[in-house]
Amino acid sequence: MKVKLLRSTMIAGVPTDSGTIVDVEKHTGEYLVAIDKAEIYVEVCEAPIPSTKPVVEQKPTSEDKVDFVQMTKAQLEVYGRQLGLELDKRHNKADLIVELEEAISIMEES
């Protein structure tokens, strides 16, 4: 356990100045903290710098080749939402695929 000494103290028979950071056994460190001769020292590590680039979601285009048959109903719903279409998952998968294909063909015409 690492502690920072608040006052000059004898550690293992060696005089140690205040402000010194020493590595001691856990019970010794706890004792020094309890009698206000030291405080627990925590090493600080630098946090990674977050990316400042904005996250841009890309909307699906007609150029994307999507196999609706391989997708689950939940995936179909998410894909439809990206197109601005709200699908009802209570319908069966075939109906959802038909709705998506109709919406895509209407979008391509405009």
Side-chain angles (χ1 to χ4, degrees):
M1 157 181 239
K2 287 191 176 188
V3 293
K4 180 179 179 182
L5 298 177
L6 301 174
R7 295 186 270 176
S8 296
T9 309
M10 294 285 280
I11 306 260
V14 178
T16 312
D17 293 330
S18 63
T20 305
I21 299 167
V22 292
D23 196 4
V24 294
E25 293 179 4
K26 185 176 179 184
H27 70 279
T28 305
E30 290 172 349
Y31 175 71
L32 290 170
V33 170
I35 62 172
D36 292 327
K37 287 199 172 192
E39 60 186 16
I40 298 173
Y41 179 76
V42 180
E43 293 184 37
V44 179
C45 63
E46 292 185 31
I49 299 172
S51 173
T52 56
K53 296 179 184 177
V55 177
V56 179
E57 289 186 24
Q58 295 181 352
K59 289 193 173 190
T61 62
S62 60
E63 299 165 0
D64 295 337
K65 299 295 179 189
V66 179
D67 186 8
F68 295 134
V69 176
Q70 297 295 323
M71 297 172 82
T72 65
K73 286 171 64 173
Q75 290 171 327
L76 290 171
E77 182 187 28
V78 170
Y79 187 81
R81 207 172 280 143
Q82 290 174 343
L83 296 173
L85 180 66
E86 194 62 39
L87 297 174
D88 188 352
K89 284 195 326 185
R90 293 177 291 184
H91 294 164
N92 65 31
K93 185 175 174 179
D95 290 343
L96 296 178
I97 292 172
V98 169
E99 284 184 56
L100 274 172
E101 289 173 343
E102 288 174 357
I104 291 171
S105 66
I106 291 171
M107 287 178 192
E108 288 176 349
E109 290 174 4
S110 23

